């Protein structure tokens, strides 16, 4: 049996620069001869992208916290089985824009859904799959907000209050503290090149460990 690939996730609040970092990291890994599969949550499969459209549509304003959580996990169930596990099994690396930490931060921290509910879904849906490394891009809420307002076309979740996003940020930071071996917290107010450099320190450690 060949070696299992590595699973890296990117997390953070709104406007922290995950997309830029994802593209930069893919290029760096490819240059090292590592096959990389990109993913995103919600989404990343045909079914997941349809669920994503429902979740982010501003017209879904009556969506309950329970529906939101279950739809996030429906998308995740498909992504894990259709894309992440098969890729890792064949030795490929997966770089995912969000994974289960986002449910603890947004639905747990933001919407105040009890952790026990999220935990039960994680146990069932994620089949024991944990990221090898999670890069948490941390940014003051007001800075992230200014970036997304500049970008325009806000989705349903982006229009939440600052208090909601403060709870999201706090929950991410608490999870990073509790699992400091898996998380690498990066100051997302730095320039993209510096964010990439800080990320590569952690990624290089993973490359070494897998050699
Ligand atoms: P993004 O891909 O632009 O970050 O948008 C995804 C949105 O979905 C973002 O607001 C975070 C939110 N989200 C949750 O609320 N819970 C989750 O479990 C995931 C994966 C995303």
């Amino acid at each position: 049996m060949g070696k299992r690939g590595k699973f890296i996730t990117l997390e953070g609040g709104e406007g922290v620069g995950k997309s830029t970092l994802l593209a930069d990291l893919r290029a760096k890994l490819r240059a090292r001869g590592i096959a990389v599969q990109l993913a995103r949550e919600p989404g990343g499969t045909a079914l997941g992208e349809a669920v994503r459209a429902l979740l982010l549509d501003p017209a879904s304003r009556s969506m309950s916290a329970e529906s939101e959580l279950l739809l996030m996990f429906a998308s995740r169930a498909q992504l894990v089985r259709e894309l992440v596990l098969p890729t890792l099994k064949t030795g490929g690396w997966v770089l995912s824009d969000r994974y289960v930490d986002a449910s603890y931060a947004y639905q747990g921290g933001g919407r105040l859904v009890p952790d026990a509910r999220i935990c039960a879904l994680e146990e069932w849906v994620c089949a024991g799959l944990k990221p090898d490394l999670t890069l948490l891009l941390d940014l003051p809420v007001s800075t992230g907000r200014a970036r997304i307002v500049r970008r325009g076309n806000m989705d349903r979740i982006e229009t939440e209050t600052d208090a909601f996003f403060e709870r999201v940020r706090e929950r991410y930071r608490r999870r990073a503290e509790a699992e400091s071996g898996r998380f690498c917290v990066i100051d997302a107010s730095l320039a993209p090149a510096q964010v990439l450099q800080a990320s590569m320190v952690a990624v290089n450690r993973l490359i070494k460990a897998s050699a």
Side-chain angles (χ1 to χ4, degrees):
M1 273 247 295
K3 227 179 330 155
R4 176 189 175 278
K6 298 289 180 194
F7 182 34
I8 303 177
T9 58
L10 270 60
E11 299 281 358
E14 309 298 313
V16 294
K18 289 182 288 98
S19 316
T20 309
L21 178 61
L22 203 74
D24 290 349
L25 281 178
R26 173 164 69 169
K28 284 268 182 201
L29 285 168
R30 283 200 170 155
R32 301 276 187 94
I34 296 172
V36 179
Q37 172 69 58
L38 294 188
R40 71 168 177 179
E41 283 203 0
T45 62
L47 186 140
E49 289 297 323
V51 172
R52 178 186 178 90
L54 274 175
L55 277 161
L56 300 186
D57 187 349
S60 307
R61 67 183 66 83
S62 65
M63 187 179 293
S64 69
E66 291 79 6
S67 306
E68 185 180 86
L69 176 67
L70 290 168
L71 286 171
M72 293 295 175
F73 270 95
S75 168
R76 182 165 299 133
Q78 194 64 29
L79 186 80
V80 166
R81 283 155 188 79
E82 189 177 316
L83 189 137
V84 183
L85 291 176
T87 303
L88 296 177
K89 210 170 146 190
T90 56
W93 287 38
V94 179
L95 266 182
S96 184
D97 186 340
R98 301 192 187 280
Y99 182 56
V100 74
D101 292 303
S103 292
Y104 286 97
Y106 281 79
Q107 282 66 53
R111 305 257 187 248
L112 307 174
V113 174
D115 271 8
R117 296 272 184 227
I118 306 173
C119 216
L121 286 169
E122 180 183 5
E123 271 180 26
W124 178 39
V125 166
C126 298
L129 177 69
K130 278 252 177 199
D132 296 289
L133 169 67
T134 298
L135 300 166
L136 173 59
L137 298 182
D138 184 55
L139 192 66
V141 169
S142 55
T143 315
R145 164 89 65 199
R147 287 185 186 174
I148 57 170
V149 167
R150 232 178 292 131
R151 207 171 55 201
N153 273 338
M154 302 226 288
D155 65 39
R156 184 182 63 89
I157 298 177
E158 285 170 340
T159 57
E160 276 299 333
T161 60
D162 282 357
F164 175 93
F165 288 116
E166 290 293 356
R167 292 197 299 277
V168 169
R169 184 183 187 203
E170 183 52 33
R171 179 59 71 92
Y172 268 135
R173 284 153 66 115
R174 270 183 24 217
R175 285 183 71 75
E177 260 175 45
E179 288 187 62
S180 56
R182 168 168 72 90
F183 273 89
C184 171
V185 183
I186 293 160
D187 177 356
S189 65
L190 296 171
Q194 288 173 291
V195 170
L196 176 63
Q197 196 181 26
S199 304
M200 281 309 293
V201 172
V203 172
N204 281 332
R205 236 179 275 135
L206 209 56
I207 295 175
K208 257 199 200 138
S210 76

